[in-house]
Structures are given as structure tokens and as C-alpha cells.
Amino acid sequence: MPIPIPSLIPYPNQLDLLTGHFPWSSQINIQAAPPLAAEIDTFLAALPENLRPKTTNPAADQILHVEIAVLNADHYQMEISPLKIHLQAGSLTSLFHGMQTLRQLIDSAALNQAGGTTLAIPCLRISDHPRFAWRGFMLDEGRHFHGMKTVKYLLDWMAYFKLNIFHWHLTEDQGWRIEIRQYPNLTKIGAKRRGSQTGGLLGRKLDRTPHVGFYTQAEIREIVNYAAQRHIAVIPEIEIPGHSLAALAAYPELGCTGAHYQVTPYWGIHQDIYCAGKPGTLQFLENVLGEVLEIFPAPYVHIGGDEAPKQRWRRCPECKNRAAALGLQNMHQLQTHMTNQIGNFLKRNDRQIIGWNEMLDGSLDPNAVVQYWVGKEKTLINHTRQGRKAILSQWSTYYLDHTYAHSALDKVYQFEPIFANLEPQFHTNILGIEAPLWTEYVPTQARLDWQTFPRLLAFAESAWLQPQHKDYNFFEHRLQRLLPILDAAGVGYAPLEAANPSPLARMGGPLSLIQAVKGERGV
Ligand code: ACM
Ligand code: ZN
């Protein structure tokens, strides 16, 4: 029987196939030091019951030997021979990633040998570590609340494909989704809207179905723990100063005009943002963030910073006074000042600020991490050359809310995120890449699945595998053999013919971006 190429995604950076196979069954013996017990439990719990070994089975000839070794923290090595699987890793996290590789080998073998209770795992040698330290996925729950079950489901798939950052977009014009004890109206008022915009990007029609939902702090702790078990850090995003209408509806005194705000059913960019001149705004934001820091242990907090129009600030006496007192030239600098104040608050609490690239400015704290999505590459590149750390989420490719006509699977796969004109000595300032799923037109699990899968797999491989090892045809070959695993789990992914539309359909990509994605809400 010829040995098939292992259907691994992401593919390991170094893999040598050897002859022979290891017979995996529930009868093998697992050797691991006691401090690794929790990791082994997580690994075993994810296996089908009939293929799940007892942790000690000393009479068995076959052994899975797992250990922490003297390797770089993000490296793992695995050698599979007929009697032994030897997994070594430099840390618990890379051990987890090595075990995901093993899980995929077991799952693929189980598919090939349906119903078998002894599986032939190919003998091989792997030496592997990720290209990027930041391998992120972002879920917008401001536009549509999806809930605990969906978030856990996404975290499970993220872990399977070795993604390690869950960026949780929790506050928006259309909804505030996180309980804050000091400000109950944020969820009492801010978590509910009367309907949702339909009929395309510029549509003014509403469906009249109220949309409501938020996470209690206890639920958030549960998600953070669930993610931590899978070696995924959860980064909350609290939008400042824009995309904040839901907060203003709850506490109108935080806006420049102070009245007549509502949690909006309309998408897009809204003029009303937090007032930067009123002293109460900073206090409010620090109180909110204080509670956020209690429940999110990650070293980073995302403060948004995108799409913050300045019309209200230009007419607001308090904003104008504040800008004048600070000697600022324009209202963009007032946003920078506000961002630096929040950044300093986070720094005092041992956390680091992240924001979208609109926040970039000469006087922005050099320690602020920028997440690039659109706009002047040159500005970003200059900041990166000066040492600023960046995360890349190019709108043109990595936005999962776009149609496949616009962002086809092969295009996502083949995209090289690091700018060609950024000199290699600055590449270490690129922490990594992140794929955002904005949910204006993602109200259901079916739509979420379609937009996310299989593109997230192409993205995950780009985050892990060095570019010189990437090959789309090889990826597609492995994907086709791995899709039955998604089928078995009921994932409603876009099939390959839809994920890679015809050249003609792609020519309509820019148009379909607006018509199909921005026009259709459901599947
Ligand atoms: C964004 O898409 N407004 C970051
Ligand atoms: Zn103001």
C-alpha cells in the first residue's frame, strides 16, 4: 500500500516521510511526566472514544512518549516509528501544537480506515515551528451576537489549525456585548437594537426583528479558560473613540451633544463618538477597562481607534477647549492624545495597547501596537522601520466577510502579507497576521461557516508555514482529503468550486463585494 502524503494543515515546516507505520489504538501506552497531565487530557478528550488510550497501559508494545525538551519555546519535534511516537517540545504551547499535528494524523487515518480500531499512522520525522507568533482570528459580535456555543466551536477549530489569538470585537454602534458591573445600562440598553439594516450597503430598509445579546463576566471567564486550555489568548476589543453609539445610548453624557442617541440598526460609520473633552469620558473608559482587565489576562487590549469622524468634536466646546489647552493642531491629534491616555492606563496595569491603523500619528506612543487593515502602506512601513510592532489584516485579502469572488481561497492562500518593500531587518516588527470576520451580513451560523471555511485554513497555513514551503496545489490536495473531517463535524463550508470561482465571476469581485456580502444577510 503506498503511503499517502499526510493531510496536515498547516503543513509542518519540515517533514520527512519514513517507511512503515505506527499502529494507533486505544491499547497503546502513554508516557508523560505528571506536569503534562492536563495537556494529555485535552488531547485525549478530543479523540474519538474508540481510539482513546488509557493514560497508562504499561503492557503495550506501542508507546506515545511526550516530553518537554531543550528546544526553542515555539518548536516541537515528532518522530513516528513502528513502535514509538516520540513528541518533544520546547514549551507546553508547542507541545499542544505537536499534539494537534498528531490529532490530524489520527483523524486522517480514521477517515481512510473507516471504523477501524487500529489505525496505520505513517512513520515520519517532523521538526516544526510557526512563521508568525501572532496567528489571529477576529469575531465581530457587535453587529451580530453569536453566543457561547459558536465561540467555543470557533476556538476548537482555531486550535486544530494552530491559530493562537482570538480577537473578540465586543462593542459597536449596533450593540454592547460585555457586562460591566459599574455601568449596567451598557447591557440593559446597549445590548439591544430594534432591527437590522437590509438591502445592501446603502440600504435604508430595516428588518424589524430586535437583536439582543451580551456575555456576563462569568461567561467571559469560561471562554477565556476554554481558550487557554487550547493555548489561545483572548484579546478583547473595546472601541474608542468611534463605533461607540451603543455606549452613548446607555450613557448619553459621554457624547458631545449629550442626547438623542440610539443603538443603531444601521451599519456604516456614525458621527457620534465619545466626547474627548468631557472629563467624565476618560474616567468612564478607565472604569470599563478596569473591569475588562480583571477578566482578560492577556497582555494586550485592543481599543479600536478606526473610523472615528471628527465632526462632533470640531463643534463641541469641550473638545475644542481640550484641544486648545493641549496646543493641538487638529482633532486627529486629540484622538492621539486620548489613545495615549488609554495606553498609559493600560501600561500602568501591565498591559499593552493595540489599535487599528487609523490611530497612527507622529505623537502616538511608540509602544502602541498597530493592526493594519487599509490605507497608506507607506505610513505603516515607516512606523515599522522605526520599531513599531504591527499585525497585518489586509482588507483586500484577509477580511472573511468578503465574497469568494473578491477573496478566493487560492488568492488568500497565495497572498504574501509582508510588504515587498519592507526591508528584512524590520520583519521582526511584524508580530503576525489576523483574519477578521465582520458580521453585518453574518447573522447565522450557516453564513458564518460559509464565510470562514475553508478560507481560515488557507490563512492558518499562511500564518504557520514559511512562504518558500507554500504551494497552493499541494494545499488544495490536502484540503480535499481533510474536508470530510469538517463534513463529519457539520461545518457548512464553501465547497471548492464556490471558494475558487471562475475567472469571469472574479472579474465581478469588487462589485460582488458590495452586492452579495453587503446585500444578503442570510444563507
Ligand atoms: C475596520 O475594518 N474598520 C477595522
Ligand atoms: Zn466633545
Side-chain angles (χ1 to χ4, degrees), residues 47-80:
L47 293 181
E49 184 138 17
N50 63 338
L51 294 168
R52 191 181 301 159
K54 298 190 197 73
T55 39
T56 50
N57 217 343
D61 289 333
Q62 285 81 18
I63 298 167
L64 167 61
H65 184 89
V66 174
E67 64 187 344
I68 297 294
V70 185
L71 292 172
N72 289 342
D74 61 348
H75 284 54
Y76 76 90
Q77 291 177 350
M78 184 157 57
E79 176 145 4
I80 304 183

PDB file of all heavy atoms in Angstrom, residues 47-80:
ATOM      1  N   LEU A  47     -10.100  13.019  21.032  1.00  0.00           N
ATOM      2  CA  LEU A  47     -10.071  11.832  20.160  1.00  0.00           C
ATOM      3  C   LEU A  47     -11.400  11.075  20.240  1.00  0.00           C
ATOM      4  O   LEU A  47     -12.059  11.088  21.279  1.00  0.00           O
ATOM      5  CB  LEU A  47      -8.943  10.887  20.596  1.00  0.00           C
ATOM      6  CG  LEU A  47      -7.511  11.370  20.427  1.00  0.00           C
ATOM      7  CD1 LEU A  47      -6.545  10.281  20.880  1.00  0.00           C
ATOM      8  CD2 LEU A  47      -7.227  11.762  18.984  1.00  0.00           C
ATOM      9  N   PRO A  48     -11.759  10.378  19.163  1.00  0.00           N
ATOM     10  CA  PRO A  48     -12.938   9.501  19.251  1.00  0.00           C
ATOM     11  C   PRO A  48     -12.713   8.457  20.335  1.00  0.00           C
ATOM     12  O   PRO A  48     -11.587   7.981  20.536  1.00  0.00           O
ATOM     13  CB  PRO A  48     -12.983   8.828  17.870  1.00  0.00           C
ATOM     14  CG  PRO A  48     -12.083   9.612  16.983  1.00  0.00           C
ATOM     15  CD  PRO A  48     -11.093  10.315  17.857  1.00  0.00           C
ATOM     16  N   GLU A  49     -13.800   8.123  21.021  1.00  0.00           N
ATOM     17  CA  GLU A  49     -13.675   7.266  22.201  1.00  0.00           C
ATOM     18  C   GLU A  49     -12.981   5.921  21.908  1.00  0.00           C
ATOM     19  O   GLU A  49     -12.142   5.454  22.682  1.00  0.00           O
ATOM     20  CB  GLU A  49     -15.073   7.020  22.787  1.00  0.00           C
ATOM     21  CG  GLU A  49     -15.032   6.233  24.062  1.00  0.00           C
ATOM     22  CD  GLU A  49     -15.996   6.778  25.102  1.00  0.00           C
ATOM     23  OE1 GLU A  49     -16.905   7.538  24.737  1.00  0.00           O
ATOM     24  OE2 GLU A  49     -15.810   6.414  26.286  1.00  0.00           O
ATOM     25  N   ASN A  50     -13.276   5.336  20.752  1.00  0.00           N
ATOM     26  CA  ASN A  50     -12.711   4.007  20.464  1.00  0.00           C
ATOM     27  C   ASN A  50     -11.228   4.069  20.081  1.00  0.00           C
ATOM     28  O   ASN A  50     -10.588   3.051  19.888  1.00  0.00           O
ATOM     29  CB  ASN A  50     -13.515   3.292  19.368  1.00  0.00           C
ATOM     30  CG  ASN A  50     -13.459   4.045  18.050  1.00  0.00           C
ATOM     31  OD1 ASN A  50     -13.195   5.236  18.023  1.00  0.00           O
ATOM     32  ND2 ASN A  50     -13.690   3.340  16.955  1.00  0.00           N
ATOM     33  N   LEU A  51     -10.702   5.286  19.980  1.00  0.00           N
ATOM     34  CA  LEU A  51      -9.280   5.450  19.655  1.00  0.00           C
ATOM     35  C   LEU A  51      -8.531   6.148  20.784  1.00  0.00           C
ATOM     36  O   LEU A  51      -7.435   6.665  20.610  1.00  0.00           O
ATOM     37  CB  LEU A  51      -9.143   6.275  18.371  1.00  0.00           C
ATOM     38  CG  LEU A  51      -9.689   5.604  17.112  1.00  0.00           C
ATOM     39  CD1 LEU A  51      -9.770   6.596  15.956  1.00  0.00           C
ATOM     40  CD2 LEU A  51      -8.826   4.403  16.729  1.00  0.00           C
ATOM     41  N   ARG A  52      -9.168   6.196  21.954  1.00  0.00           N
ATOM     42  CA  ARG A  52      -8.605   6.963  23.080  1.00  0.00           C
ATOM     43  C   ARG A  52      -7.905   6.022  24.051  1.00  0.00           C
ATOM     44  O   ARG A  52      -8.569   5.248  24.755  1.00  0.00           O
ATOM     45  CB  ARG A  52      -9.751   7.700  23.784  1.00  0.00           C
ATOM     46  CG  ARG A  52      -9.307   8.731  24.794  1.00  0.00           C
ATOM     47  CD  ARG A  52     -10.519   9.379  25.456  1.00  0.00           C
ATOM     48  NE  ARG A  52     -11.394  10.033  24.509  1.00  0.00           N
ATOM     49  CZ  ARG A  52     -12.688  10.311  24.736  1.00  0.00           C
ATOM     50  NH1 ARG A  52     -13.253   9.957  25.879  1.00  0.00           N
ATOM     51  NH2 ARG A  52     -13.399  10.923  23.821  1.00  0.00           N
ATOM     52  N   PRO A  53      -6.558   6.064  24.099  1.00  0.00           N
ATOM     53  CA  PRO A  53      -5.861   5.174  25.023  1.00  0.00           C
ATOM     54  C   PRO A  53      -6.072   5.583  26.471  1.00  0.00           C
ATOM     55  O   PRO A  53      -6.340   6.752  26.768  1.00  0.00           O
ATOM     56  CB  PRO A  53      -4.381   5.362  24.658  1.00  0.00           C
ATOM     57  CG  PRO A  53      -4.373   6.157  23.403  1.00  0.00           C
ATOM     58  CD  PRO A  53      -5.654   6.903  23.333  1.00  0.00           C
ATOM     59  N   LYS A  54      -5.945   4.584  27.348  1.00  0.00           N
ATOM     60  CA  LYS A  54      -5.849   4.916  28.770  1.00  0.00           C
ATOM     61  C   LYS A  54      -4.485   5.570  28.957  1.00  0.00           C
ATOM     62  O   LYS A  54      -3.554   5.296  28.198  1.00  0.00           O
ATOM     63  CB  LYS A  54      -5.896   3.643  29.615  1.00  0.00           C
ATOM     64  CG  LYS A  54      -7.168   2.857  29.491  1.00  0.00           C
ATOM     65  CD  LYS A  54      -7.159   1.768  30.576  1.00  0.00           C
ATOM     66  CE  LYS A  54      -8.177   0.687  30.295  1.00  0.00           C
ATOM     67  NZ  LYS A  54      -7.805  -0.208  29.193  1.00  0.00           N
ATOM     68  N   THR A  55      -4.357   6.399  29.965  1.00  0.00           N
ATOM     69  CA  THR A  55      -3.075   7.096  30.085  1.00  0.00           C
ATOM     70  C   THR A  55      -1.947   6.149  30.480  1.00  0.00           C
ATOM     71  O   THR A  55      -0.809   6.378  30.134  1.00  0.00           O
ATOM     72  CB  THR A  55      -3.160   8.278  31.067  1.00  0.00           C
ATOM     73  OG1 THR A  55      -3.965   7.872  32.145  1.00  0.00           O
ATOM     74  CG2 THR A  55      -3.688   9.507  30.398  1.00  0.00           C
ATOM     75  N   THR A  56      -2.262   5.087  31.206  1.00  0.00           N
ATOM     76  CA  THR A  56      -1.198   4.100  31.450  1.00  0.00           C
ATOM     77  C   THR A  56      -1.666   2.739  30.988  1.00  0.00           C
ATOM     78  O   THR A  56      -2.767   2.302  31.296  1.00  0.00           O
ATOM     79  CB  THR A  56      -0.830   4.001  32.946  1.00  0.00           C
ATOM     80  OG1 THR A  56      -2.031   3.838  33.687  1.00  0.00           O
ATOM     81  CG2 THR A  56      -0.088   5.223  33.425  1.00  0.00           C
ATOM     82  N   ASN A  57      -0.829   2.125  30.214  1.00  0.00           N
ATOM     83  CA  ASN A  57      -1.139   0.841  29.597  1.00  0.00           C
ATOM     84  C   ASN A  57       0.188   0.095  29.480  1.00  0.00           C
ATOM     85  O   ASN A  57       0.647  -0.208  28.390  1.00  0.00           O
ATOM     86  CB  ASN A  57      -1.717   1.127  28.206  1.00  0.00           C
ATOM     87  CG  ASN A  57      -2.822   0.162  27.852  1.00  0.00           C
ATOM     88  OD1 ASN A  57      -2.939  -0.891  28.482  1.00  0.00           O
ATOM     89  ND2 ASN A  57      -3.601   0.498  26.852  1.00  0.00           N
ATOM     90  N   PRO A  58       0.847  -0.135  30.638  1.00  0.00           N
ATOM     91  CA  PRO A  58       2.273  -0.498  30.607  1.00  0.00           C
ATOM     92  C   PRO A  58       2.588  -1.788  29.852  1.00  0.00           C
ATOM     93  O   PRO A  58       3.714  -1.976  29.404  1.00  0.00           O
ATOM     94  CB  PRO A  58       2.651  -0.630  32.085  1.00  0.00           C
ATOM     95  CG  PRO A  58       1.389  -0.607  32.851  1.00  0.00           C
ATOM     96  CD  PRO A  58       0.300  -0.092  31.996  1.00  0.00           C
ATOM     97  N   ALA A  59       1.573  -2.631  29.644  1.00  0.00           N
ATOM     98  CA  ALA A  59       1.854  -3.890  28.955  1.00  0.00           C
ATOM     99  C   ALA A  59       1.983  -3.699  27.441  1.00  0.00           C
ATOM    100  O   ALA A  59       2.456  -4.588  26.743  1.00  0.00           O
ATOM    101  CB  ALA A  59       0.750  -4.887  29.268  1.00  0.00           C
ATOM    102  N   ALA A  60       1.573  -2.540  26.954  1.00  0.00           N
ATOM    103  CA  ALA A  60       1.540  -2.347  25.497  1.00  0.00           C
ATOM    104  C   ALA A  60       2.934  -2.263  24.894  1.00  0.00           C
ATOM    105  O   ALA A  60       3.869  -1.772  25.535  1.00  0.00           O
ATOM    106  CB  ALA A  60       0.764  -1.077  25.179  1.00  0.00           C
ATOM    107  N   ASP A  61       3.072  -2.740  23.666  1.00  0.00           N
ATOM    108  CA  ASP A  61       4.344  -2.623  22.941  1.00  0.00           C
ATOM    109  C   ASP A  61       4.515  -1.228  22.361  1.00  0.00           C
ATOM    110  O   ASP A  61       5.628  -0.727  22.218  1.00  0.00           O
ATOM    111  CB  ASP A  61       4.397  -3.633  21.784  1.00  0.00           C
ATOM    112  CG  ASP A  61       4.533  -5.058  22.301  1.00  0.00           C
ATOM    113  OD1 ASP A  61       5.094  -5.218  23.412  1.00  0.00           O
ATOM    114  OD2 ASP A  61       4.063  -5.975  21.619  1.00  0.00           O
ATOM    115  N   GLN A  62       3.399  -0.615  21.975  1.00  0.00           N
ATOM    116  CA  GLN A  62       3.484   0.698  21.321  1.00  0.00           C
ATOM    117  C   GLN A  62       3.379   1.819  22.350  1.00  0.00           C
ATOM    118  O   GLN A  62       2.583   1.744  23.283  1.00  0.00           O
ATOM    119  CB  GLN A  62       2.373   0.867  20.286  1.00  0.00           C
ATOM    120  CG  GLN A  62       2.592   0.090  19.010  1.00  0.00           C
ATOM    121  CD  GLN A  62       2.184  -1.373  19.162  1.00  0.00           C
ATOM    122  OE1 GLN A  62       1.447  -1.723  20.077  1.00  0.00           O
ATOM    123  NE2 GLN A  62       2.697  -2.215  18.276  1.00  0.00           N
ATOM    124  N   ILE A  63       4.182   2.831  22.115  1.00  0.00           N
ATOM    125  CA  ILE A  63       4.294   3.909  23.105  1.00  0.00           C
ATOM    126  C   ILE A  63       4.122   5.270  22.437  1.00  0.00           C
ATOM    127  O   ILE A  63       4.680   5.512  21.361  1.00  0.00           O
ATOM    128  CB  ILE A  63       5.700   3.895  23.762  1.00  0.00           C
ATOM    129  CG1 ILE A  63       5.929   2.580  24.510  1.00  0.00           C
ATOM    130  CG2 ILE A  63       5.891   5.083  24.711  1.00  0.00           C
ATOM    131  CD1 ILE A  63       7.370   2.365  24.899  1.00  0.00           C
ATOM    132  N   LEU A  64       3.360   6.133  23.109  1.00  0.00           N
ATOM    133  CA  LEU A  64       3.408   7.563  22.792  1.00  0.00           C
ATOM    134  C   LEU A  64       4.187   8.214  23.924  1.00  0.00           C
ATOM    135  O   LEU A  64       3.729   8.204  25.079  1.00  0.00           O
ATOM    136  CB  LEU A  64       2.000   8.164  22.697  1.00  0.00           C
ATOM    137  CG  LEU A  64       1.919   9.700  22.688  1.00  0.00           C
ATOM    138  CD1 LEU A  64       2.657  10.293  21.490  1.00  0.00           C
ATOM    139  CD2 LEU A  64       0.471  10.182  22.701  1.00  0.00           C
ATOM    140  N   HIS A  65       5.354   8.742  23.607  1.00  0.00           N
ATOM    141  CA  HIS A  65       6.206   9.347  24.631  1.00  0.00           C
ATOM    142  C   HIS A  65       6.237  10.859  24.385  1.00  0.00           C
ATOM    143  O   HIS A  65       6.618  11.311  23.316  1.00  0.00           O
ATOM    144  CB  HIS A  65       7.612   8.752  24.559  1.00  0.00           C
ATOM    145  CG  HIS A  65       8.521   9.247  25.628  1.00  0.00           C
ATOM    146  ND1 HIS A  65       8.624   8.632  26.854  1.00  0.00           N
ATOM    147  CD2 HIS A  65       9.349  10.310  25.672  1.00  0.00           C
ATOM    148  CE1 HIS A  65       9.477   9.304  27.615  1.00  0.00           C
ATOM    149  NE2 HIS A  65       9.936  10.330  26.922  1.00  0.00           N
ATOM    150  N   VAL A  66       5.806  11.614  25.389  1.00  0.00           N
ATOM    151  CA  VAL A  66       5.657  13.053  25.250  1.00  0.00           C
ATOM    152  C   VAL A  66       6.526  13.737  26.291  1.00  0.00           C
ATOM    153  O   VAL A  66       6.469  13.371  27.468  1.00  0.00           O
ATOM    154  CB  VAL A  66       4.173  13.451  25.472  1.00  0.00           C
ATOM    155  CG1 VAL A  66       3.998  14.945  25.477  1.00  0.00           C
ATOM    156  CG2 VAL A  66       3.290  12.813  24.406  1.00  0.00           C
ATOM    157  N   GLU A  67       7.324  14.707  25.867  1.00  0.00           N
ATOM    158  CA  GLU A  67       8.165  15.374  26.874  1.00  0.00           C
ATOM    159  C   GLU A  67       8.541  16.798  26.456  1.00  0.00           C
ATOM    160  O   GLU A  67       8.570  17.132  25.278  1.00  0.00           O
ATOM    161  CB  GLU A  67       9.445  14.567  27.129  1.00  0.00           C
ATOM    162  CG  GLU A  67      10.346  14.470  25.917  1.00  0.00           C
ATOM    163  CD  GLU A  67      11.530  13.532  26.132  1.00  0.00           C
ATOM    164  OE1 GLU A  67      11.816  13.193  27.297  1.00  0.00           O
ATOM    165  OE2 GLU A  67      12.166  13.152  25.137  1.00  0.00           O
ATOM    166  N   ILE A  68       8.823  17.589  27.483  1.00  0.00           N
ATOM    167  CA  ILE A  68       9.396  18.919  27.268  1.00  0.00           C
ATOM    168  C   ILE A  68      10.907  18.728  27.132  1.00  0.00           C
ATOM    169  O   ILE A  68      11.518  18.002  27.911  1.00  0.00           O
ATOM    170  CB  ILE A  68       9.090  19.848  28.466  1.00  0.00           C
ATOM    171  CG1 ILE A  68       7.569  20.051  28.599  1.00  0.00           C
ATOM    172  CG2 ILE A  68       9.797  21.198  28.315  1.00  0.00           C
ATOM    173  CD1 ILE A  68       6.913  20.806  27.463  1.00  0.00           C
ATOM    174  N   ALA A  69      11.482  19.358  26.102  1.00  0.00           N
ATOM    175  CA  ALA A  69      12.908  19.152  25.829  1.00  0.00           C
ATOM    176  C   ALA A  69      13.588  20.506  25.653  1.00  0.00           C
ATOM    177  O   ALA A  69      12.930  21.549  25.647  1.00  0.00           O
ATOM    178  CB  ALA A  69      13.063  18.313  24.569  1.00  0.00           C
ATOM    179  N   VAL A  70      14.901  20.460  25.509  1.00  0.00           N
ATOM    180  CA  VAL A  70      15.647  21.708  25.319  1.00  0.00           C
ATOM    181  C   VAL A  70      15.525  22.130  23.855  1.00  0.00           C
ATOM    182  O   VAL A  70      16.342  21.796  23.007  1.00  0.00           O
ATOM    183  CB  VAL A  70      17.129  21.535  25.722  1.00  0.00           C
ATOM    184  CG1 VAL A  70      17.854  22.885  25.635  1.00  0.00           C
ATOM    185  CG2 VAL A  70      17.221  20.989  27.135  1.00  0.00           C
ATOM    186  N   LEU A  71      14.437  22.831  23.573  1.00  0.00           N
ATOM    187  CA  LEU A  71      14.170  23.359  22.231  1.00  0.00           C
ATOM    188  C   LEU A  71      13.685  24.790  22.431  1.00  0.00           C
ATOM    189  O   LEU A  71      13.269  25.154  23.527  1.00  0.00           O
ATOM    190  CB  LEU A  71      13.038  22.570  21.568  1.00  0.00           C
ATOM    191  CG  LEU A  71      13.281  21.112  21.183  1.00  0.00           C
ATOM    192  CD1 LEU A  71      11.974  20.469  20.733  1.00  0.00           C
ATOM    193  CD2 LEU A  71      14.306  21.038  20.058  1.00  0.00           C
ATOM    194  N   ASN A  72      13.700  25.589  21.362  1.00  0.00           N
ATOM    195  CA  ASN A  72      13.078  26.908  21.464  1.00  0.00           C
ATOM    196  C   ASN A  72      11.613  26.732  21.870  1.00  0.00           C
ATOM    197  O   ASN A  72      10.985  25.723  21.529  1.00  0.00           O
ATOM    198  CB  ASN A  72      13.144  27.642  20.125  1.00  0.00           C
ATOM    199  CG  ASN A  72      14.561  28.073  19.808  1.00  0.00           C
ATOM    200  OD1 ASN A  72      15.416  28.120  20.702  1.00  0.00           O
ATOM    201  ND2 ASN A  72      14.818  28.365  18.553  1.00  0.00           N
ATOM    202  N   ALA A  73      11.087  27.737  22.575  1.00  0.00           N
ATOM    203  CA  ALA A  73       9.754  27.590  23.168  1.00  0.00           C
ATOM    204  C   ALA A  73       8.674  27.298  22.131  1.00  0.00           C
ATOM    205  O   ALA A  73       7.680  26.642  22.438  1.00  0.00           O
ATOM    206  CB  ALA A  73       9.397  28.847  23.953  1.00  0.00           C
ATOM    207  N   ASP A  74       8.851  27.761  20.902  1.00  0.00           N
ATOM    208  CA  ASP A  74       7.788  27.551  19.911  1.00  0.00           C
ATOM    209  C   ASP A  74       8.053  26.350  18.998  1.00  0.00           C
ATOM    210  O   ASP A  74       7.336  26.141  18.031  1.00  0.00           O
ATOM    211  CB  ASP A  74       7.552  28.822  19.081  1.00  0.00           C
ATOM    212  CG  ASP A  74       8.782  29.260  18.298  1.00  0.00           C
ATOM    213  OD1 ASP A  74       9.884  28.729  18.573  1.00  0.00           O
ATOM    214  OD2 ASP A  74       8.641  30.128  17.415  1.00  0.00           O
ATOM    215  N   HIS A  75       9.068  25.548  19.310  1.00  0.00           N
ATOM    216  CA  HIS A  75       9.407  24.397  18.462  1.00  0.00           C
ATOM    217  C   HIS A  75       8.850  23.086  19.026  1.00  0.00           C
ATOM    218  O   HIS A  75       8.821  22.901  20.240  1.00  0.00           O
ATOM    219  CB  HIS A  75      10.936  24.216  18.372  1.00  0.00           C
ATOM    220  CG  HIS A  75      11.620  25.190  17.465  1.00  0.00           C
ATOM    221  ND1 HIS A  75      11.479  26.538  17.578  1.00  0.00           N
ATOM    222  CD2 HIS A  75      12.456  24.978  16.416  1.00  0.00           C
ATOM    223  CE1 HIS A  75      12.205  27.147  16.649  1.00  0.00           C
ATOM    224  NE2 HIS A  75      12.805  26.220  15.926  1.00  0.00           N
ATOM    225  N   TYR A  76       8.483  22.198  18.127  1.00  0.00           N
ATOM    226  CA  TYR A  76       8.241  20.808  18.530  1.00  0.00           C
ATOM    227  C   TYR A  76       8.852  19.881  17.481  1.00  0.00           C
ATOM    228  O   TYR A  76       9.091  20.283  16.336  1.00  0.00           O
ATOM    229  CB  TYR A  76       6.741  20.520  18.710  1.00  0.00           C
ATOM    230  CG  TYR A  76       5.970  20.363  17.424  1.00  0.00           C
ATOM    231  CD1 TYR A  76       5.817  19.110  16.817  1.00  0.00           C
ATOM    232  CD2 TYR A  76       5.393  21.455  16.798  1.00  0.00           C
ATOM    233  CE1 TYR A  76       5.118  18.963  15.626  1.00  0.00           C
ATOM    234  CE2 TYR A  76       4.701  21.321  15.606  1.00  0.00           C
ATOM    235  CZ  TYR A  76       4.568  20.075  15.017  1.00  0.00           C
ATOM    236  OH  TYR A  76       3.883  19.937  13.833  1.00  0.00           O
ATOM    237  N   GLN A  77       9.140  18.676  17.913  1.00  0.00           N
ATOM    238  CA  GLN A  77       9.672  17.649  17.012  1.00  0.00           C
ATOM    239  C   GLN A  77       8.901  16.372  17.277  1.00  0.00           C
ATOM    240  O   GLN A  77       8.582  16.063  18.426  1.00  0.00           O
ATOM    241  CB  GLN A  77      11.156  17.395  17.300  1.00  0.00           C
ATOM    242  CG  GLN A  77      12.017  18.568  16.918  1.00  0.00           C
ATOM    243  CD  GLN A  77      13.480  18.378  17.267  1.00  0.00           C
ATOM    244  OE1 GLN A  77      13.844  17.439  17.974  1.00  0.00           O
ATOM    245  NE2 GLN A  77      14.305  19.283  16.783  1.00  0.00           N
ATOM    246  N   MET A  78       8.632  15.646  16.212  1.00  0.00           N
ATOM    247  CA  MET A  78       7.921  14.387  16.401  1.00  0.00           C
ATOM    248  C   MET A  78       8.555  13.335  15.504  1.00  0.00           C
ATOM    249  O   MET A  78       8.794  13.579  14.330  1.00  0.00           O
ATOM    250  CB  MET A  78       6.438  14.558  16.067  1.00  0.00           C
ATOM    251  CG  MET A  78       5.621  13.305  16.331  1.00  0.00           C
ATOM    252  SD  MET A  78       3.865  13.652  16.592  1.00  0.00           S
ATOM    253  CE  MET A  78       3.452  14.490  15.099  1.00  0.00           C
ATOM    254  N   GLU A  79       8.835  12.205  16.083  1.00  0.00           N
ATOM    255  CA  GLU A  79       9.342  11.091  15.296  1.00  0.00           C
ATOM    256  C   GLU A  79       8.394   9.909  15.505  1.00  0.00           C
ATOM    257  O   GLU A  79       8.145   9.493  16.640  1.00  0.00           O
ATOM    258  CB  GLU A  79      10.768  10.735  15.728  1.00  0.00           C
ATOM    259  CG  GLU A  79      11.275   9.522  14.996  1.00  0.00           C
ATOM    260  CD  GLU A  79      12.773   9.560  14.686  1.00  0.00           C
ATOM    261  OE1 GLU A  79      13.450  10.522  15.111  1.00  0.00           O
ATOM    262  OE2 GLU A  79      13.238   8.622  14.027  1.00  0.00           O
ATOM    263  N   ILE A  80       7.874   9.428  14.399  1.00  0.00           N
ATOM    264  CA  ILE A  80       6.956   8.287  14.470  1.00  0.00           C
ATOM    265  C   ILE A  80       7.663   7.085  13.851  1.00  0.00           C
ATOM    266  O   ILE A  80       8.062   7.131  12.681  1.00  0.00           O
ATOM    267  CB  ILE A  80       5.630   8.576  13.737  1.00  0.00           C
ATOM    268  CG1 ILE A  80       4.980   9.847  14.311  1.00  0.00           C
ATOM    269  CG2 ILE A  80       4.683   7.382  13.841  1.00  0.00           C
ATOM    270  CD1 ILE A  80       3.626  10.201  13.735  1.00  0.00           C
TER     271      ILE A  80
END
